[in-house]
Structure formats: structure tokens, C-alpha cells
Amino acid sequence: MSSSEIAWPYPRYIAHRGAGKLAPENTLAAMRAGHARGYRMVEFDVKLSGDGVPFLLHDDTLDRTTSGHGRADALTWAELSKLDAGRWHSPAFAGEPLPMLEQIAHWAIANDVACNIEIKPVPGCERATGAAVALDALALWRGASVQPLLSSFSEVALAAARSAVPDLQRAMLYEHIPTDWKDRLARLECVALDTDYRELDAAIVAAAHQAGYKVLTYTPNDPALVSRLAAWNVDGIITDAIDVIRPD
Ligand code: G3P
Ligand code: MG
């Protein structure tokens, strides 16, 4: 099968963590900022609270981007929801809360924004996070015209997502593309290879397409580089530079 046969309703330009660095990452304020600059797809990171609620956070710990401390899964959702996830970025965003996946889903569906949900488990919670996020996504996007794309650096998490909800499309994330990437993607029935832009060249993109996979990349922020990736027909370009890269 060629990559052109994959159902791919997604725009090419994707706002990283919602709005790159212009707003506090992985918050509703970030999603709104990306949308205001014309982005119709967002990438964000999801993990589980101590009581199993999928919510948005990049790091394993709360310290860098919230008013909390320690491991993200040491707190219940009721405790996490009281934290400030905006003040670290700038005073204008003070009081911005951590969002549940549910809140982002409602906003994205209402605003016709496609989602790339990166499953980002805290260590040791890969299987539970993959399954819970996939099941939550299935329920939240039921009946929506564009379903979310799931991705993860964790094969265990992606395998659990596939077992729980086989029909949600998956992308495998690699910092460095392993030599046996085609076998790995085939085993997990992924539709896309998602990798650091420094791993790509025209030949690798063409080879992935020929093997039947779409290609996504993170996080090119230089316009000339982004143009080159687009010229190679990279299908998804996840960028922080939402104030510089026009998404059309
Ligand atoms: O989903 C691609 C990209 O977000 C992976 O890197 O660390 O920003 O989640 P990171
Ligand atoms: Mg991410």
C-alpha cells in the first residue's frame, strides 16, 4: 500500500504543544493562541494523574511548568486542577490551569482543530497510559469528523493504545530512526513515522511514503528549513514558530 491510500485528514502545519513558546505549553490558552494564528492542528502531551485522569503535561514532574512539585502522578486530578500552569511562562497567563484531555477535546471539536495526542507516560505507567488515553480519545471524539492521531516514543504505550482502540491511527516517534523502523511500525500497525527533523532527508521521506507511511517531524522552527521539509512532502510539520511559519 502506498502512503496516499492512508486516510489523512490532517493539515500539514501543526502547532507544537499548542502554541510553541508564545503561551504556556499544553494549556487551553496555548491551543487558543495557535488557533488565532491560523493553525488548524495541534500537538500536545498527555499523561495520567494519580487517579487515572488523562491530562496535558510534558515533563514527568510538575516543577518546570506548574506551581506544583514532584512527579505528576503523585497527585490526584482534584489536586492537579488547582495548580497554576501559566505563571511560569509570563504574568499575563497567571492562573491558567492544567487541562484535562476532555477539555481540550471539547475545544478542538468545537473549533475544527485536529489533534495529535502524544502519549507521554511517566516512567512505569506506559501500558496504563496508552490504554487510558486511547479509550478516552475514542469516547471524546465519537462522531467527530476528524479523529485524533495518537503518537508516542513508547512502543509499550502505543501497543496498549492499539489493543484498547485499534481504529485510532497511530504514529511512532523516534529521536533517532532505528534501522528496523519499518518492522516496528508494521508490528504496531502505525500509519506514520514521526521523527526529529534532523533525521530526515528527501530519500528517507520518499522511502517512507513508498513503504506506505506518512511522515511527521518535530520541531523545525526556521522558515527555510520548513520550506525544505514541505518540498520533500513531509506530511506533518510540528513547529514552535507559529508567529513565523504560516500554516497554509
Ligand atoms: O510529538 C512530537 C514532539 O512533541 C516530541 O517532543 O519533547 O516536545 O514532546 P516533545
Ligand atoms: Mg510532544
Side-chain angles (χ1 to χ4, degrees), residues 52-123:
V53 176
F55 75 103
L56 276 63
L57 187 75
H58 180 274
D59 297 359
D60 294 336
T61 57
L62 296 160
D63 300 64
R64 180 178 63 89
T65 59
T66 80
S67 53
H69 303 287
R71 261 178 76 118
D73 60 342
L75 300 187
T76 62
W77 174 247
E79 292 165 328
L80 290 166
S81 65
K82 295 190 183 79
L83 299 179
D84 184 327
R87 182 180 289 278
W88 70 274
H89 179 276
S90 51
F93 291 107
E96 181 69 27
L98 288 167
M100 294 164 72
L101 177 58
E102 181 178 344
Q103 292 162 317
I104 299 300
H106 291 325
W107 175 85
I109 293 165
N111 289 283
D112 283 330
V113 172
C115 292
N116 171 199
I117 302 175
E118 185 191 335
I119 303 169
K120 195 87 136 178
V122 291

Side-chain angles (χ1 to χ4, degrees), residues 16-17 26 43-46 57-58 116-120 151 153 173 194 218-219 238:
H16 186 223
R17 305 183 193 176
N26 289 319
E43 182 270 358
F44 50 83
D45 309 295
V46 177
L57 187 75
H58 180 274
N116 171 199
I117 302 175
E118 185 191 335
I119 303 169
K120 195 87 136 178
S151 63
F153 287 103
L173 272 161
D194 191 348
Y218 64 90
T219 321
I238 303 169

